Amino acid sequence: MATTSLEQFLQRAEAVLARVEAILPQAPREPDWNLSFAYRWRRRHGAASQLQPVRSVAKIALDDLHNIARQKEAIEQNTRQFVAGRPANNVLLTGARGTGKSSLIKACLNRFAGDGLRLIEVDKEDLHELGDIVDLVAGRPERFIIFCDDLSFEEGESGYKALKVALDGSVSAQSDNVLIYATSNRRHLMPERMSDNATYKHDEDGDLHPGETVEEKISLSERFGLWLSFYPFKQDDYLDIVSYWLRHFGCTDAQVEEARGEALRWALQRGSRSGRVAWQFARDHAGKMA
């Protein structure tokens, strides 16, 4: 009788422990690093966050990106230094929408993947787990770019401080095989309001000094060692990109020339002459021609 009661107690105890373990935070597991050279950090309800391999990586190349030569040269050089094990900077790409910020990072990945470069895409909502991601890859021989796309914050968001710490604010040294590349339409990543001007102060010599509110809003951007700014394209630049993609999709020179007027109307309808709009027009037009 005593043996039976003990067995029943142990069974109930094991069931309780199983339920407790299910709700406790789990350490993330390493993925199969041979499946891809790009990964997404994914959080699932009731389970530990994991690195999910990207099975089909965008095949854009550096040569596909036009009229951003200065930005392309700077980020390519920084990434080359990084994969070679030399000092390199975290990068913030800011400016007009559709001008190639995200595409430039993807193109760098394709350019240097064969040299050991890997990319981990992290959503803004998951930035508070950056420390776990860095710990997961810190001992790996590959070089990792943590990619945060279309980044901006509102007041009080937890990811803001987590990113500051990951960039340059922790007592521990930054892992030398990890860099952060981020894109944003905001240079300072935080909303700027008229009331912020009230925190500026003048000294007796007339020098202007930002107050604490402004200092806080620019402090995150300053932690990126390399800033790259992107600007709206001029009409000729836009048409040059349209021509490139039309030829890429198989159009002849005559067809490219005939499409110029329609390409300008397409941009006018969308209120933008960006590289993204040029690519979208080329896909639409080339598909119709086919």
Side-chain angles (χ1 to χ4, degrees), residues 158-217:
S158 61
Y160 178 80
K161 290 189 176 180
L163 184 55
K164 284 178 66 174
V165 169
L167 286 167
D168 191 24
S170 174
V171 67
S172 61
Q174 187 177 11
S175 178
D176 66 357
N177 73 331
V178 176
L179 284 182
I180 297 175
Y181 283 15
T183 71
S184 178
N185 293 329
R186 294 176 181 168
R187 186 178 180 94
H188 290 152
L189 304 180
M190 292 279 283
E192 299 179 68
R193 300 184 174 90
M194 289 292 294
S195 59
D196 295 340
N197 294 327
T199 67
Y200 275 88
K201 300 177 182 178
H202 296 81
D203 61 21
E204 58 185 14
D205 296 324
D207 290 335
L208 188 65
H209 301 282
E212 292 182 0
T213 301
V214 177
E215 289 283 5
E216 172 68 13
K217 290 187 174 183

Side-chain angles (χ1 to χ4, degrees), residues 16-50:
V16 170
L17 287 173
R19 289 195 292 269
V20 171
E21 288 177 352
I23 63 175
L24 288 175
Q26 303 292 316
R29 298 190 306 271
E30 282 203 39
D32 185 344
W33 296 107
N34 296 317
L35 292 177
S36 181
F37 52 84
Y39 295 80
R40 293 189 182 97
W41 185 254
R42 284 291 180 260
R43 180 174 46 178
R44 291 189 175 90
H45 180 69
S49 300
Q50 300 294 339

Side-chain angles (χ1 to χ4, degrees), residues 243 246-247 251-262 285:
S243 299
L246 285 174
R247 291 188 176 92
C251 291
T252 65
D253 289 345
Q255 291 171 331
V256 170
E257 186 63 28
E258 291 174 0
R260 289 171 61 91
E262 189 175 344
H285 189 77

